[in-house]
Amino acid sequence: MKSSYPNKHNEQKQGLLLPVLFLISLLSLVFYLLIVLLPEFLLNGPVTQGKSFKDMNVIKGGSAPTPLTLKHREPSHRILLEHKPNALNAIKDTHTGIFKQLRTANTQVTRTDEETSDQFELTRIQKRFTKPAMQVNPKEFKQHRRIIQGEVITANTSLHDASSLAQVDEVNSGIKDNFDPLALRIAPKVLESPDTCKRLITIPYQTLPVSQELFLISQLKYGNLVISNELFAYQQEGKLYLPIQLLAELLMLPVKLNIDTLSLSGWYLTPDRNIDISSHLMMFWGNSDHCSVQESNIYFDDWDIYIELTIIEQMFGLNINFEPSRQRFNIKESSFIPLSQIQDRRRRYDLFSAQKGQNDQLTVREIKREDAMLGDLAMSVDLGITSQKKEHIEETSVEGFIQARTDFAGHNVYASYSWSETDEVINAYIEKTLSDSWLKHYRIGSIESHSLPLISESSEGKGIRLTAGDGFTQDFRHITIEGEIEPDWDVELYRNNSLIDIQRAGSDARYRFVQVPFFIGLNQYQLRFYGPSGETRTETFSKMLDNSVLEQGQLGFSFGSLQREQDELQLHYVNANWAVTESLTTNLSLVQQEVADNDWLTIPKLGINFIGGEHLIQINYASTSKGYATGVAVQGSKKHIDWLADWEYFDNFNSWENPNETLEQQASLNVNGSIDDSGMSWALSGSWKDYSMSTDLLQFNAALMGRFNLLSYSNELRWQSAIGKDRVYNRMAASGRLGEWYLRSYVDLSISPELEVNQWVVNANSSINDRINYQVEINYQPQAIDAFRVRNSIAYLFDHSSLRLVLDNDSDGDWYAQLKWNSSLLWQPESNLWLLDRVSHLNTGAVKIVAFQDDNANSLFDTDELAISGLSFSGHSQTSASTNQDGELLITHLQTTRPQRLLLKESSLPDPFLIPLMMAVTVNPHPGHVQKVLYPVLYTAELEGSAMLLDGKKQLPAKGMLVTLVSTDDNRKYKTRVEYDGVYIFDRVLPGRYQLSIEDKFTQQINVKPGEYMVLESVSILN
């Protein structure tokens, strides 16, 4: 009997129609207000008043020019134009013959007409100028030059450009000595023709450091080819910025980044179309039909610079589209970078490297993870004294929290213990991850079980869990994200840049997000951590869901045995997964589950998963001695929309997911998408549960998520119908930086049947100075006894610890006070190094780089080899640190969820003839072990030889012939050409065995030793 009142039950179901229609109408209105009527100034920001070069009047040819001067206004760096009489100096004709000269200070540049083309050319001047001088004949505008902060620009112009040139001279004549160089470099924009973008583009820019929380982990596709699944793009004020060095490596673009000077140089399509980004000015030849960017910012971190997407499109003639719902950049295949001619692109890249003398091309070595037999101890300690008054009772107590992590016997061990007047919590486990063995991972102690559809969602408890085999496919519907942090830390979870949920770690220092969306394609996740003393850090990782996760014939296993934490019931299971094809898998599970004290069920389960293109189907069937359960989940992806539909049916089936057979069937539908060109995403969901002894539960959710500047926000509207009552709730959340404050807030509202506030929490913190952080939290909960509570917290940050004072005041007069001290320790038993820090080492990794001069080129630090001091690396937070006298550099607080690239700063090499075997290392650190990374640096050699051509009885220098040196060990290649006197020279050659070739005329095997100056015998070649 499903219900005691069937007629009433049906009337309640039919009565849901009106609220559903009302909800749909309300959502439509909200979307209309947010999308159509959203004020433009909220998206674009305020517009600074004043004219720029784009706004000034164009002077018609033949008309008298109006004198102009430049004004520089802080802080926007816009150039304002002001009319000033008599500002134009006399223009003198200095055009003589075919030569033109331009003098500035003690520097002279001379160029003939034959050296110029219809494209702009850039030539470096060795000395900076003090005052620019310019002389142009207004009647003969065949060639025009400008000095721009130490550079000469030469351009052919026609008589039609006369007015524009005169205008430039007016602007130039008004510039005074020592004027801001940025203003001077903006002037060439007037030279540009307004009707085309196929010309020299100049864009002034400012350089700014990145903020870690503004990174997007995205996928990059070129045509139909995925060329990167972890592209770190940057976002700021509604604009997207791409890492130019990584982009150049992936597309083999002939540009080179100098990270020390934050400059970029190179060319595109042809070597005379130069690209130069330096000294706050971008100069490049436009290759697209859009050139509207007037000024920009370049953001930088320790190993790359991030350039505005629109500018990259202009620079390389690319069409780049970003899909927010997929977190994917799509580059339309260009005829200039065809996939079919990728080898030709490589040839061009090699040509560029040879021309620029970049024989030391970037080499990267991946360092595999190591688990130590006896690792390094990472420990965090919180000790506090608490005093409180509650219901006229005052008491004082001591509480604390200690957690530690280390490697032992090749395993990673974690343990934590917290105590207070109310309870004690112990959490511990030992685990190991293996990559090259049949057994992939196991964990003993505090664990989380695998998800078993129809039987049990992922559960917490104590026991053992392991995964083995070539491949294992878990539940495709959603995932669980959990971990350890420190007590009272806030954790935010983002998927594809949309805020999913916010949690605060309790006394056990754990966070756990369940039923996290997991859709077809690339899912990018980010965890943002906010500490009570103003600390911040982020962790990022990605998970792919498509048929690439399967490989035909793969066989995987999983096993788990645990005692559930909440009620101490037990669960034991074993699961086998087999990939029948690359799109079809089957799995068979055998589960023993304790549904009540000493009440055990044996449940076999069969599952089938099919992944094809942009769709996935998951079918499950389970049975007991009394009944059965079946379920179907279907999800898909189309353009900007992801969706998941799930239905489960239970017939006298008892399990943790359906205790006491209360549920007969349930269904849910989730749809997610994004709004083009808005940075916002949306989600619609509905769920229905059909209970056997009560009325149905029906719920609809609608959410809108987005980002405005540095602030992430979300709004979720929920309608729920149960036990004959309809309720409407709304939850709004915001998180991010607002000025100098970090703001996190959420409010829960009950809209129907009555409008009321259920809870409103606002947390804001800011640094008063480098040592002091202040935080305030306001909690309003009108239904509680103490409806209003204010928490004030002030923290003082020492070098190795922090001290925090917390004061809570409730509206009913109760109060709470706590003084807490926190510190973190890293101990290396091998060297007996004790490192104290206020930033925890528990969830970050560390490596120790050992740099040495590898004289025998065996990549080992032998006893007779010298350590190299003074080397520094980018890619971590302590970039100013360098190797000590022992060649050692300890780098801490590295992220553990993804590999970290550490790049050598070439300027830190003490000798130009020293070259590292690899320019960068990719490390996979984990807490509990400081992994040693050997960094061999080789003392390079220099080779000199000569080549002569025999022409009869004459012996002439083989001028211009290509000489190539190719390593027989690793295909490293060096190129040079025979000079006018027949001599060729190779410098900074790494030791090793090589084959020397002079075009196809001569070859020779040579062995190069460290630091050697080798003179080769002269070679005579028949002409």
Side-chain angles (χ1 to χ4, degrees), residues 602-615:
T602 299
I603 310 174
K605 186 183 79 71
L606 176 66
I608 298 175
N609 300 310
F610 174 78
I611 302 179
E614 297 178 338
H615 296 86

PDB file of all heavy atoms in Angstrom, residues 602-615:
ATOM      1  N   THR A 602      23.952  -9.967   1.409  1.00  0.00           N
ATOM      2  CA  THR A 602      24.906 -10.225   0.323  1.00  0.00           C
ATOM      3  C   THR A 602      24.269  -9.754  -0.970  1.00  0.00           C
ATOM      4  O   THR A 602      23.193 -10.222  -1.353  1.00  0.00           O
ATOM      5  CB  THR A 602      25.257 -11.718   0.238  1.00  0.00           C
ATOM      6  OG1 THR A 602      25.855 -12.124   1.480  1.00  0.00           O
ATOM      7  CG2 THR A 602      26.225 -11.972  -0.905  1.00  0.00           C
ATOM      8  N   ILE A 603      24.942  -8.811  -1.646  1.00  0.00           N
ATOM      9  CA  ILE A 603      24.351  -8.144  -2.812  1.00  0.00           C
ATOM     10  C   ILE A 603      25.300  -8.257  -4.003  1.00  0.00           C
ATOM     11  O   ILE A 603      26.361  -7.619  -4.016  1.00  0.00           O
ATOM     12  CB  ILE A 603      24.068  -6.652  -2.528  1.00  0.00           C
ATOM     13  CG1 ILE A 603      23.302  -6.489  -1.206  1.00  0.00           C
ATOM     14  CG2 ILE A 603      23.303  -6.020  -3.679  1.00  0.00           C
ATOM     15  CD1 ILE A 603      23.123  -5.035  -0.792  1.00  0.00           C
ATOM     16  N   PRO A 604      24.964  -9.045  -5.012  1.00  0.00           N
ATOM     17  CA  PRO A 604      25.724  -8.981  -6.271  1.00  0.00           C
ATOM     18  C   PRO A 604      25.199  -7.823  -7.129  1.00  0.00           C
ATOM     19  O   PRO A 604      23.997  -7.521  -7.113  1.00  0.00           O
ATOM     20  CB  PRO A 604      25.441 -10.335  -6.921  1.00  0.00           C
ATOM     21  CG  PRO A 604      24.112 -10.744  -6.378  1.00  0.00           C
ATOM     22  CD  PRO A 604      23.987 -10.134  -5.003  1.00  0.00           C
ATOM     23  N   LYS A 605      26.121  -7.188  -7.872  1.00  0.00           N
ATOM     24  CA  LYS A 605      25.721  -6.064  -8.719  1.00  0.00           C
ATOM     25  C   LYS A 605      26.415  -6.168 -10.067  1.00  0.00           C
ATOM     26  O   LYS A 605      27.616  -6.472 -10.149  1.00  0.00           O
ATOM     27  CB  LYS A 605      26.087  -4.728  -8.071  1.00  0.00           C
ATOM     28  CG  LYS A 605      25.568  -3.508  -8.851  1.00  0.00           C
ATOM     29  CD  LYS A 605      26.021  -2.200  -8.221  1.00  0.00           C
ATOM     30  CE  LYS A 605      27.445  -1.863  -8.582  1.00  0.00           C
ATOM     31  NZ  LYS A 605      27.568  -1.469 -10.019  1.00  0.00           N
ATOM     32  N   LEU A 606      25.651  -5.891 -11.129  1.00  0.00           N
ATOM     33  CA  LEU A 606      26.176  -5.894 -12.489  1.00  0.00           C
ATOM     34  C   LEU A 606      26.015  -4.491 -13.069  1.00  0.00           C
ATOM     35  O   LEU A 606      24.957  -3.869 -12.926  1.00  0.00           O
ATOM     36  CB  LEU A 606      25.433  -6.909 -13.360  1.00  0.00           C
ATOM     37  CG  LEU A 606      25.822  -6.957 -14.843  1.00  0.00           C
ATOM     38  CD1 LEU A 606      27.257  -7.457 -14.998  1.00  0.00           C
ATOM     39  CD2 LEU A 606      24.853  -7.849 -15.626  1.00  0.00           C
ATOM     40  N   GLY A 607      27.069  -4.006 -13.727  1.00  0.00           N
ATOM     41  CA  GLY A 607      27.019  -2.678 -14.324  1.00  0.00           C
ATOM     42  C   GLY A 607      27.579  -2.675 -15.728  1.00  0.00           C
ATOM     43  O   GLY A 607      28.486  -3.447 -16.063  1.00  0.00           O
ATOM     44  N   ILE A 608      27.012  -1.807 -16.566  1.00  0.00           N
ATOM     45  CA  ILE A 608      27.482  -1.626 -17.944  1.00  0.00           C
ATOM     46  C   ILE A 608      27.616  -0.126 -18.191  1.00  0.00           C
ATOM     47  O   ILE A 608      26.704   0.648 -17.882  1.00  0.00           O
ATOM     48  CB  ILE A 608      26.511  -2.250 -18.970  1.00  0.00           C
ATOM     49  CG1 ILE A 608      26.395  -3.762 -18.750  1.00  0.00           C
ATOM     50  CG2 ILE A 608      26.973  -1.960 -20.393  1.00  0.00           C
ATOM     51  CD1 ILE A 608      25.368  -4.426 -19.648  1.00  0.00           C
ATOM     52  N   ASN A 609      28.762   0.278 -18.738  1.00  0.00           N
ATOM     53  CA  ASN A 609      29.004   1.683 -19.080  1.00  0.00           C
ATOM     54  C   ASN A 609      29.323   1.794 -20.558  1.00  0.00           C
ATOM     55  O   ASN A 609      30.155   1.033 -21.078  1.00  0.00           O
ATOM     56  CB  ASN A 609      30.175   2.255 -18.270  1.00  0.00           C
ATOM     57  CG  ASN A 609      29.927   2.197 -16.782  1.00  0.00           C
ATOM     58  OD1 ASN A 609      28.884   2.625 -16.313  1.00  0.00           O
ATOM     59  ND2 ASN A 609      30.880   1.656 -16.033  1.00  0.00           N
ATOM     60  N   PHE A 610      28.670   2.721 -21.214  1.00  0.00           N
ATOM     61  CA  PHE A 610      28.931   2.970 -22.631  1.00  0.00           C
ATOM     62  C   PHE A 610      29.246   4.441 -22.830  1.00  0.00           C
ATOM     63  O   PHE A 610      28.474   5.307 -22.428  1.00  0.00           O
ATOM     64  CB  PHE A 610      27.735   2.580 -23.499  1.00  0.00           C
ATOM     65  CG  PHE A 610      27.900   2.941 -24.950  1.00  0.00           C
ATOM     66  CD1 PHE A 610      28.680   2.162 -25.782  1.00  0.00           C
ATOM     67  CD2 PHE A 610      27.303   4.086 -25.466  1.00  0.00           C
ATOM     68  CE1 PHE A 610      28.849   2.508 -27.119  1.00  0.00           C
ATOM     69  CE2 PHE A 610      27.469   4.431 -26.797  1.00  0.00           C
ATOM     70  CZ  PHE A 610      28.244   3.638 -27.627  1.00  0.00           C
ATOM     71  N   ILE A 611      30.416   4.723 -23.409  1.00  0.00           N
ATOM     72  CA  ILE A 611      30.813   6.097 -23.727  1.00  0.00           C
ATOM     73  C   ILE A 611      31.011   6.184 -25.226  1.00  0.00           C
ATOM     74  O   ILE A 611      31.852   5.488 -25.793  1.00  0.00           O
ATOM     75  CB  ILE A 611      32.119   6.485 -23.004  1.00  0.00           C
ATOM     76  CG1 ILE A 611      31.975   6.333 -21.494  1.00  0.00           C
ATOM     77  CG2 ILE A 611      32.506   7.923 -23.337  1.00  0.00           C
ATOM     78  CD1 ILE A 611      33.232   6.669 -20.727  1.00  0.00           C
ATOM     79  N   GLY A 612      30.251   7.034 -25.853  1.00  0.00           N
ATOM     80  CA  GLY A 612      30.373   7.216 -27.288  1.00  0.00           C
ATOM     81  C   GLY A 612      30.236   8.664 -27.664  1.00  0.00           C
ATOM     82  O   GLY A 612      29.186   9.278 -27.456  1.00  0.00           O
ATOM     83  N   GLY A 613      31.305   9.254 -28.183  1.00  0.00           N
ATOM     84  CA  GLY A 613      31.256  10.653 -28.580  1.00  0.00           C
ATOM     85  C   GLY A 613      30.980  11.560 -27.394  1.00  0.00           C
ATOM     86  O   GLY A 613      31.764  11.626 -26.447  1.00  0.00           O
ATOM     87  N   GLU A 614      29.821  12.219 -27.421  1.00  0.00           N
ATOM     88  CA  GLU A 614      29.480  13.162 -26.368  1.00  0.00           C
ATOM     89  C   GLU A 614      28.372  12.633 -25.464  1.00  0.00           C
ATOM     90  O   GLU A 614      27.668  13.409 -24.815  1.00  0.00           O
ATOM     91  CB  GLU A 614      29.059  14.499 -26.987  1.00  0.00           C
ATOM     92  CG  GLU A 614      30.167  15.178 -27.791  1.00  0.00           C
ATOM     93  CD  GLU A 614      29.701  16.470 -28.426  1.00  0.00           C
ATOM     94  OE1 GLU A 614      28.486  16.625 -28.611  1.00  0.00           O
ATOM     95  OE2 GLU A 614      30.556  17.319 -28.735  1.00  0.00           O
ATOM     96  N   HIS A 615      28.211  11.299 -25.397  1.00  0.00           N
ATOM     97  CA  HIS A 615      27.160  10.717 -24.583  1.00  0.00           C
ATOM     98  C   HIS A 615      27.709   9.553 -23.758  1.00  0.00           C
ATOM     99  O   HIS A 615      28.673   8.888 -24.154  1.00  0.00           O
ATOM    100  CB  HIS A 615      25.987  10.235 -25.446  1.00  0.00           C
ATOM    101  CG  HIS A 615      25.298  11.341 -26.175  1.00  0.00           C
ATOM    102  ND1 HIS A 615      25.737  11.795 -27.407  1.00  0.00           N
ATOM    103  CD2 HIS A 615      24.217  12.103 -25.848  1.00  0.00           C
ATOM    104  CE1 HIS A 615      24.954  12.785 -27.803  1.00  0.00           C
ATOM    105  NE2 HIS A 615      24.020  12.983 -26.889  1.00  0.00           N
TER     106      HIS A 615
END
